[in-house]
mmCIF file of all heavy atoms in Angstrom:
data_model
loop_
_atom_site.group_PDB
_atom_site.id
_atom_site.type_symbol
_atom_site.label_atom_id
_atom_site.label_comp_id
_atom_site.label_asym_id
_atom_site.label_seq_id
_atom_site.Cartn_x
_atom_site.Cartn_y
_atom_site.Cartn_z
ATOM 1 N N GLY A 85 154.631 117.301 187.345
ATOM 2 C CA GLY A 85 155.609 117.983 186.490
ATOM 3 C C GLY A 85 156.967 117.298 186.443
ATOM 4 O O GLY A 85 157.904 117.813 185.831
ATOM 5 N N ILE A 86 157.089 116.136 187.089
ATOM 6 C CA ILE A 86 158.392 115.447 187.166
ATOM 7 C C ILE A 86 158.215 114.001 186.709
ATOM 8 O O ILE A 86 157.185 113.368 187.003
ATOM 9 C CB ILE A 86 158.916 115.493 188.618
ATOM 10 C CG1 ILE A 86 159.259 116.938 188.987
ATOM 11 C CG2 ILE A 86 160.130 114.595 188.823
ATOM 12 C CD1 ILE A 86 159.365 117.195 190.447
ATOM 13 N N LEU A 87 159.232 113.487 186.021
ATOM 14 C CA LEU A 87 159.185 112.101 185.553
ATOM 15 C C LEU A 87 158.793 111.155 186.690
ATOM 16 O O LEU A 87 159.360 111.216 187.783
ATOM 17 C CB LEU A 87 160.562 111.703 184.999
ATOM 18 C CG LEU A 87 160.713 110.247 184.562
ATOM 19 C CD1 LEU A 87 159.885 109.958 183.319
ATOM 20 C CD2 LEU A 87 162.185 109.906 184.297
ATOM 21 N N THR A 88 157.807 110.279 186.421
ATOM 22 C CA THR A 88 157.397 109.248 187.375
ATOM 23 C C THR A 88 157.413 107.946 186.589
ATOM 24 O O THR A 88 156.439 107.602 185.917
ATOM 25 C CB THR A 88 156.000 109.564 187.949
ATOM 26 O OG1 THR A 88 156.057 110.851 188.590
ATOM 27 C CG2 THR A 88 155.551 108.517 188.944
ATOM 28 N N SER A 89 158.534 107.226 186.648
ATOM 29 C CA SER A 89 158.761 106.132 185.688
ATOM 30 C C SER A 89 158.329 104.760 186.184
ATOM 31 O O SER A 89 158.171 103.838 185.397
ATOM 32 C CB SER A 89 160.251 106.062 185.356
ATOM 33 O OG SER A 89 160.960 105.518 186.465
ATOM 34 N N CYS A 90 158.208 104.595 187.500
ATOM 35 C CA CYS A 90 157.918 103.286 188.083
ATOM 36 C C CYS A 90 158.982 102.254 187.663
ATOM 37 O O CYS A 90 158.710 101.054 187.612
ATOM 38 C CB CYS A 90 156.520 102.824 187.694
ATOM 39 S SG CYS A 90 155.645 102.057 189.070
ATOM 40 N N GLY A 91 160.165 102.736 187.330
ATOM 41 C CA GLY A 91 161.254 101.830 186.959
ATOM 42 C C GLY A 91 161.034 101.119 185.640
ATOM 43 O O GLY A 91 161.676 100.108 185.354
ATOM 44 N N SER A 92 160.122 101.647 184.802
ATOM 45 C CA SER A 92 159.733 100.944 183.570
ATOM 46 C C SER A 92 159.968 101.771 182.310
ATOM 47 O O SER A 92 159.811 102.999 182.332
ATOM 48 C CB SER A 92 158.240 100.600 183.654
ATOM 49 O OG SER A 92 157.832 99.896 182.519
ATOM 50 N N LYS A 93 160.290 101.077 181.227
ATOM 51 C CA LYS A 93 160.333 101.743 179.922
ATOM 52 C C LYS A 93 158.936 102.277 179.584
ATOM 53 O O LYS A 93 158.783 103.324 178.954
ATOM 54 C CB LYS A 93 160.780 100.732 178.865
ATOM 55 C CG LYS A 93 160.852 101.299 177.460
ATOM 56 C CD LYS A 93 161.393 100.268 176.491
ATOM 57 C CE LYS A 93 161.462 100.831 175.083
ATOM 58 N NZ LYS A 93 161.889 99.823 174.105
ATOM 59 N N MET A 94 157.901 101.526 180.032
ATOM 60 C CA MET A 94 156.515 101.916 179.737
ATOM 61 C C MET A 94 156.216 103.344 180.196
ATOM 62 O O MET A 94 155.465 104.063 179.558
ATOM 63 C CB MET A 94 155.582 100.909 180.435
ATOM 64 C CG MET A 94 154.119 101.120 180.181
ATOM 65 S SD MET A 94 153.708 101.079 178.430
ATOM 66 C CE MET A 94 153.271 99.378 178.176
ATOM 67 N N LEU A 95 156.802 103.758 181.321
ATOM 68 C CA LEU A 95 156.530 105.105 181.835
ATOM 69 C C LEU A 95 157.791 105.978 181.791
ATOM 70 O O LEU A 95 157.890 106.966 182.529
ATOM 71 C CB LEU A 95 155.976 105.021 183.266
ATOM 72 C CG LEU A 95 154.552 104.452 183.366
ATOM 73 C CD1 LEU A 95 154.098 104.339 184.824
ATOM 74 C CD2 LEU A 95 153.554 105.309 182.595
ATOM 75 N N SER A 96 158.719 105.618 180.904
ATOM 76 C CA SER A 96 159.994 106.341 180.880
ATOM 77 C C SER A 96 159.841 107.762 180.329
ATOM 78 O O SER A 96 160.792 108.540 180.359
ATOM 79 C CB SER A 96 161.035 105.568 180.082
ATOM 80 O OG SER A 96 160.534 105.314 178.791
ATOM 81 N N ASN A 97 158.630 108.100 179.830
ATOM 82 C CA ASN A 97 158.385 109.471 179.368
ATOM 83 C C ASN A 97 157.167 110.070 180.080
ATOM 84 O O ASN A 97 156.579 111.032 179.601
ATOM 85 C CB ASN A 97 158.154 109.486 177.860
ATOM 86 C CG ASN A 97 156.951 108.636 177.470
ATOM 87 O OD1 ASN A 97 156.301 108.044 178.342
ATOM 88 N ND2 ASN A 97 156.637 108.570 176.195
ATOM 89 N N PHE A 98 156.775 109.492 181.212
ATOM 90 C CA PHE A 98 155.535 109.925 181.875
ATOM 91 C C PHE A 98 155.797 111.049 182.881
ATOM 92 O O PHE A 98 156.456 110.846 183.907
ATOM 93 C CB PHE A 98 154.871 108.735 182.575
ATOM 94 C CG PHE A 98 153.639 109.105 183.363
ATOM 95 C CD1 PHE A 98 152.509 109.633 182.726
ATOM 96 C CD2 PHE A 98 153.613 108.962 184.750
ATOM 97 C CE1 PHE A 98 151.380 109.991 183.454
ATOM 98 C CE2 PHE A 98 152.488 109.312 185.488
ATOM 99 C CZ PHE A 98 151.370 109.825 184.838
ATOM 100 N N ILE A 99 155.262 112.215 182.570
ATOM 101 C CA ILE A 99 155.346 113.343 183.501
ATOM 102 C C ILE A 99 153.989 113.422 184.179
ATOM 103 O O ILE A 99 152.974 113.679 183.522
ATOM 104 C CB ILE A 99 155.641 114.671 182.753
ATOM 105 C CG1 ILE A 99 156.868 114.533 181.833
ATOM 106 C CG2 ILE A 99 155.780 115.836 183.729
ATOM 107 C CD1 ILE A 99 158.190 114.361 182.529
ATOM 108 N N SER A 100 153.964 113.186 185.474
ATOM 109 C CA SER A 100 152.668 113.122 186.159
ATOM 110 C C SER A 100 151.989 114.494 186.196
ATOM 111 O O SER A 100 152.641 115.498 186.472
ATOM 112 C CB SER A 100 152.878 112.614 187.583
ATOM 113 O OG SER A 100 151.663 112.698 188.291
ATOM 114 N N PRO A 101 150.670 114.519 185.959
ATOM 115 C CA PRO A 101 149.952 115.802 186.061
ATOM 116 C C PRO A 101 149.557 116.151 187.506
ATOM 117 O O PRO A 101 148.986 117.203 187.743
ATOM 118 C CB PRO A 101 148.711 115.573 185.192
ATOM 119 C CG PRO A 101 148.485 114.097 185.220
ATOM 120 C CD PRO A 101 149.826 113.438 185.445
ATOM 121 N N TYR A 102 149.798 115.257 188.449
ATOM 122 C CA TYR A 102 149.419 115.556 189.838
ATOM 123 C C TYR A 102 150.374 114.874 190.805
ATOM 124 O O TYR A 102 151.134 113.986 190.428
ATOM 125 C CB TYR A 102 147.971 115.116 190.127
ATOM 126 C CG TYR A 102 147.733 113.638 189.997
ATOM 127 C CD1 TYR A 102 147.896 112.799 191.081
ATOM 128 C CD2 TYR A 102 147.344 113.077 188.777
ATOM 129 C CE1 TYR A 102 147.698 111.439 190.975
ATOM 130 C CE2 TYR A 102 147.135 111.713 188.649
ATOM 131 C CZ TYR A 102 147.320 110.901 189.755
ATOM 132 O OH TYR A 102 147.130 109.547 189.638
ATOM 133 N N ASP A 103 150.295 115.283 192.085
ATOM 134 C CA ASP A 103 151.113 114.691 193.140
ATOM 135 C C ASP A 103 150.353 113.578 193.843
ATOM 136 O O ASP A 103 149.143 113.714 194.103
ATOM 137 C CB ASP A 103 151.446 115.743 194.221
ATOM 138 C CG ASP A 103 152.621 116.632 193.836
ATOM 139 O OD1 ASP A 103 153.512 116.158 193.112
ATOM 140 O OD2 ASP A 103 152.635 117.801 194.287
ATOM 141 N N ALA A 104 151.038 112.506 194.207
ATOM 142 C CA ALA A 104 150.463 111.497 195.106
ATOM 143 C C ALA A 104 150.156 112.189 196.433
ATOM 144 O O ALA A 104 150.794 113.192 196.781
ATOM 145 C CB ALA A 104 151.469 110.376 195.326
ATOM 146 N N GLU A 105 149.191 111.646 197.177
ATOM 147 C CA GLU A 105 148.833 112.247 198.467
ATOM 148 C C GLU A 105 150.056 112.300 199.405
ATOM 149 O O GLU A 105 150.277 113.300 200.095
ATOM 150 C CB GLU A 105 147.690 111.436 199.106
ATOM 151 C CG GLU A 105 147.233 111.930 200.461
ATOM 152 C CD GLU A 105 146.569 113.314 200.439
ATOM 153 O OE1 GLU A 105 146.345 113.862 199.339
ATOM 154 O OE2 GLU A 105 146.302 113.845 201.533
ATOM 155 N N VAL A 106 150.851 111.228 199.404
ATOM 156 C CA VAL A 106 152.045 111.198 200.261
ATOM 157 C C VAL A 106 152.993 112.345 199.875
ATOM 158 O O VAL A 106 153.558 113.022 200.744
ATOM 159 C CB VAL A 106 152.752 109.825 200.140
ATOM 160 C CG1 VAL A 106 154.176 109.880 200.656
ATOM 161 C CG2 VAL A 106 151.954 108.749 200.872
ATOM 162 N N VAL A 107 153.147 112.557 198.576
ATOM 163 C CA VAL A 107 154.047 113.619 198.100
ATOM 164 C C VAL A 107 153.498 114.978 198.520
ATOM 165 O O VAL A 107 154.240 115.834 199.026
ATOM 166 C CB VAL A 107 154.229 113.514 196.571
ATOM 167 C CG1 VAL A 107 154.968 114.726 196.016
ATOM 168 C CG2 VAL A 107 154.953 112.216 196.212
ATOM 169 N N SER A 108 152.171 115.196 198.361
ATOM 170 C CA SER A 108 151.682 116.531 198.754
ATOM 171 C C SER A 108 151.746 116.730 200.261
ATOM 172 O O SER A 108 152.027 117.838 200.707
ATOM 173 C CB SER A 108 150.299 116.888 198.209
ATOM 174 O OG SER A 108 149.518 115.811 197.999
ATOM 175 N N LYS A 109 151.532 115.650 201.021
ATOM 176 C CA LYS A 109 151.650 115.821 202.484
ATOM 177 C C LYS A 109 153.084 116.227 202.856
ATOM 178 O O LYS A 109 153.289 117.065 203.730
ATOM 179 C CB LYS A 109 151.298 114.515 203.199
ATOM 180 C CG LYS A 109 149.798 114.309 203.346
ATOM 181 C CD LYS A 109 149.524 113.050 204.146
ATOM 182 C CE LYS A 109 148.053 112.874 204.355
ATOM 183 N NZ LYS A 109 147.484 112.870 205.598
ATOM 184 N N CYS A 110 154.066 115.602 202.200
ATOM 185 C CA CYS A 110 155.458 115.946 202.500
ATOM 186 C C CYS A 110 155.765 117.387 202.085
ATOM 187 O O CYS A 110 156.442 118.124 202.808
ATOM 188 C CB CYS A 110 156.419 114.975 201.804
ATOM 189 S SG CYS A 110 156.332 113.317 202.496
ATOM 190 N N LYS A 111 155.242 117.783 200.915
ATOM 191 C CA LYS A 111 155.447 119.168 200.454
ATOM 192 C C LYS A 111 154.844 120.144 201.448
ATOM 193 O O LYS A 111 155.488 121.111 201.860
ATOM 194 C CB LYS A 111 154.706 119.360 199.111
ATOM 195 C CG LYS A 111 155.595 119.322 197.908
ATOM 196 C CD LYS A 111 154.800 119.742 196.676
ATOM 197 C CE LYS A 111 155.528 119.256 195.431
ATOM 198 N NZ LYS A 111 154.707 119.385 194.223
ATOM 199 N N ASN A 112 153.598 119.862 201.853
ATOM 200 C CA ASN A 112 152.920 120.782 202.779
ATOM 201 C C ASN A 112 153.627 120.858 204.126
ATOM 202 O O ASN A 112 153.521 121.859 204.835
ATOM 203 C CB ASN A 112 151.463 120.358 203.004
ATOM 204 C CG ASN A 112 150.661 120.488 201.726
ATOM 205 O OD1 ASN A 112 151.071 121.215 200.809
ATOM 206 N ND2 ASN A 112 149.556 119.769 201.628
#
Side-chain angles (χ1 to χ4, degrees):
I86 293 162
L87 176 69
T88 301
S89 73
C90 222
S92 182
K93 179 176 180 184
M94 183 57 93
L95 290 177
S96 56
N97 60 0
F98 176 63
I99 308 292
S100 173
Y102 63 90
D103 278 330
E105 179 66 6
V106 163
V107 171
S108 28
K109 279 184 177 242
C110 292
K111 258 189 199 169
N112 294 340

